[in-house]
Amino acid sequence: MLDIRFIRENPDTVKNACKVKGFEDHVDEILTLDTRVRELKTITQTKTAEKNKITREIPTAADKAPLIAESKKIGEEIAADLAELAEKEEKLNDLLHRVPQIPSPDAPIGADDSDNVEVRRVGEPTKFDFTPRAQWDLLDMNNWWLPEKIGQICGTRTYCLMGEAAELQLAIETYVIQKLISKGFTFIECPSITKPQTIFDAGHFMGSDLSVMNNDVFMLTDTDRCLAGTAEIILNSLHSGEILPENALPIKYAGFSPCFRKEAGAAGRDTRGLARFHQFNKVEQYIYCKPEQSDEMHEHILNNLCEVMEDLELPYRVIANSTGDMGFNKVKMNDVEAWVPSENAYKELGSCSSIGTFQARRTNTRYRENATGDVKFVATLNNTGIAVPRALVPVIENHQNADGSVNIPKKLQPLMGGRTKIGGKH
RNA sequence: GGAGACGUGGCAGAGUGGUUGAAUGCGCGCGACUCGAAAUCGUGUAUACAGGCAACUGUAUCAAGGGUUCAAAUCCCUUCGUCUCCGCCA
């Protein structure tokens, strides 16, 4: 959420953010409510101060009865104002949770992903001197998965890797985790079961009614828990309510967890292959930093993902997502897409986001400035480290050979027992 | 799942209805002493919101929420969390 003072002082900026991101504009209603709420606070606080003064005189007063009566009378007056205050504050709070984060001036303005802009392209689409196979053919012929059987057992949008593909997935996860550790990240394995409030605090949903997430989040029936869609959710709440020392920043976490998505809005999309599942694994980069460090950290975690692409020897490109595509809580967003030969297209493998202080306001995560002693909200950022099995798609397709075998990228070979190739007839 | 204990400031730890935003100790900041440091002494050390140009003032906060009362850290209820023992268990 945004600072109410910021909205008060920059209503036009906020209105514009609503417009370019495609969210309803509640600014005028917010400002009206805000004025009334502050009025009521002033009135009730003045009366409470008066009442406290009388209350303090009671223990030593010779005749207590008139003072008690007076105090009681003021108490009743306060109660009436308090009722209105509570109602107005609740309404204001709900509307404040519907105001989107202000997008960066650098972000392309646009309604949806068709307005995204390619920032850079690294490597060329892979050329083959044979007809390359699609991921599902490679998986079938190498006996690397069980699509029909697992569909019967576990339902749609589940997967099961076997043999060398399962090994490769584990190697990729381990590789990325170790890479991030070497760059100063703290490796942290996160729970997937969490409370709905933590998901809300990550700022992916609008308003203050938690039921809005039912469409996207798996709720665990008859419990107060749900399944987290990403480790970002847990990492975001890791320092909630804390005031961090300035020199602790930036804090860099490499979170690993199984991730759960309902994929309710994706019916019929990516139903074949390893691209989209209810459950997958993800290494997540998560940063807490000072707001002025945010751009630098954005480049840092974006570059980490680009390096991973290069270590996996994948042709890829970086996208600047448009204001309409970046989502409710983001300042700026860069997708990283890898080349997928079977689709003759670049496909998203990761998404790098600057959140500003938007999440920190929801979790109340702050730091104390050394020089001034001031307490300020931290900025947070997140990026994919690697998401599997989706990342296996470009890896096995781009590195395939005519016989259906797959070359292992050099950096992964030590984690694959020194093998340079898997699959094929051998 | 059963039984019990507990949740106070950065930490430790007093405090069971009335100037307690909270004793005391530790830590930390500043100052004095010192050539410098240690020790010692003095002094200071939460956050949010509202009002004010500001100095500052007010209100709230002793896990969270609600209740009783003129008055709640202190009494009652609910929730959350932590710990111990038993049971179960990868």
Side-chain angles (χ1 to χ4, degrees), chain A residues 12-40:
Chain A
D12 294 336
T13 307
V14 179
K15 281 167 172 285
N16 184 58
C18 295
K19 189 174 156 218
V20 299
K21 281 192 159 186
F23 292 101
E24 212 176 321
D25 176 353
H26 297 289
V27 172
D28 292 329
E29 201 180 349
I30 285 170
L31 293 178
T32 307
L33 280 168
D34 175 50
T35 305
R36 181 60 183 155
V37 162
R38 283 189 294 161
E39 256 171 29
L40 287 166

Side-chain angles (χ1 to χ4, degrees), chain A residues 170-189:
Chain A
L170 196 53
I172 291 173
E173 290 167 343
T174 305
Y175 176 77
V176 173
I177 288 165
Q178 290 181 347
K179 182 182 193 72
L180 292 174
I181 291 170
S182 76
K183 287 172 176 286
F185 284 73
T186 301
F187 174 41
I188 175 165
E189 231 200 351

Side-chain angles (χ1 to χ4, degrees), chain A residues 5 242-244 364-369 372-378:
Chain A
R5 276 173 297 196
E242 294 181 21
I243 299 172
L244 302 160
N364 198 24
T365 306
R366 295 168 294 173
Y367 72 100
R368 191 186 302 277
E369 221 171 43
T372 60
D374 288 352
V375 176
K376 297 180 171 176
F377 286 102
V378 300

Side-chain angles (χ1 to χ4, degrees), chain A residues 202-241:
Chain A
H204 295 289
F205 297 104
M206 287 190 298
S208 48
D209 177 7
L210 299 183
S211 68
V212 298
M213 65 176 74
N214 285 351
N215 200 39
D216 300 287
V217 176
F218 280 107
M219 304 303 294
L220 296 172
T221 310
D222 296 331
T223 73
D224 60 349
R225 314 291 182 86
C226 56
L227 296 175
T230 161
E232 177 198 340
I233 303 298
I234 280 69
L235 296 171
N236 174 58
S237 289
L238 223 48
H239 297 288
S240 62

Side-chain angles (χ1 to χ4, degrees), chain A residues 46-62:
Chain A
T46 307
K47 285 184 180 170
T48 304
E50 198 185 328
K51 183 169 182 286
N52 286 347
K53 187 163 166 278
I54 294 168
T55 296
R56 272 194 297 270
E57 288 168 7
I58 290 174
T60 50

Side-chain angles (χ1 to χ4, degrees), chain A residues 204-410:
Chain A
H204 295 289
F205 297 104
M206 287 190 298
S208 48
D209 177 7
L210 299 183
S211 68
V212 298
M213 65 176 74
N214 285 351
N215 200 39
D216 300 287
V217 176
F218 280 107
M219 304 303 294
L220 296 172
T221 310
D222 296 331
T223 73
D224 60 349
R225 314 291 182 86
C226 56
L227 296 175
T230 161
E232 177 198 340
I233 303 298
I234 280 69
L235 296 171
N236 174 58
S237 289
L238 223 48
H239 297 288
S240 62
E242 294 181 21
I243 299 172
L244 302 160
E246 181 180 346
N247 50 17
L249 301 174
I251 296 173
K252 309 201 282 186
Y253 288 119
F256 175 80
S257 76
C259 303
F260 297 88
R261 308 270 169 99
K262 270 194 176 174
E263 299 289 2
R269 279 173 62 197
D270 304 320
T271 49
R272 209 172 171 196
L274 294 176
R276 192 179 293 275
F277 296 110
H278 287 312
Q279 176 183 350
F280 59 96
N281 289 341
K282 183 153 60 71
V283 179
E284 178 83 355
Q285 307 181 60
Y286 196 91
I287 304 283
Y288 290 89
C289 67
K290 296 186 273 182
E292 60 267 31
Q293 297 171 315
S294 186
D295 285 343
E296 180 198 335
M297 285 295 124
H298 189 97
E299 288 308 305
H300 176 57
I301 60 177
L302 179 57
N303 284 335
N304 290 343
L305 179 55
C306 291
E307 273 186 35
V308 168
M309 294 298 111
E310 285 157 38
D311 293 344
L312 295 177
E313 300 167 24
L314 298 175
Y316 70 97
R317 64 176 188 168
V318 178
I319 296 294
N321 295 71
S322 78
T323 51
D325 189 41
M326 69 170 61
F328 181 64
N329 62 356
K330 293 170 187 178
V331 175
K332 64 177 173 181
M333 173 172 169
N334 292 104
D335 279 355
V336 172
E337 302 179 339
W339 178 253
V340 176
S342 65
E343 303 203 33
N344 199 36
Y346 287 92
K347 303 295 285 184
E348 182 193 328
L349 277 199
S351 190
C352 184
S353 300
S354 290
I355 310 294
T357 59
F358 201 82
Q359 289 177 328
R361 284 181 194 282
R362 287 199 177 186
T363 57
N364 198 24
T365 306
R366 295 168 294 173
Y367 72 100
R368 191 186 302 277
E369 221 171 43
N370 284 336
T372 60
D374 288 352
V375 176
K376 297 180 171 176
F377 286 102
V378 300
T380 60
L381 302 93
N382 63 81
N383 189 10
T384 313
I386 198 74
V388 287
R390 179 178 286 188
L392 289 180
V393 174
V395 170
I396 64 173
E397 286 200 6
N398 284 292
H399 301 319
Q400 64 178 295
N401 299 306
D403 65 353
S405 63
V406 170
N407 299 325
I408 299 172
K410 281 192 181 57

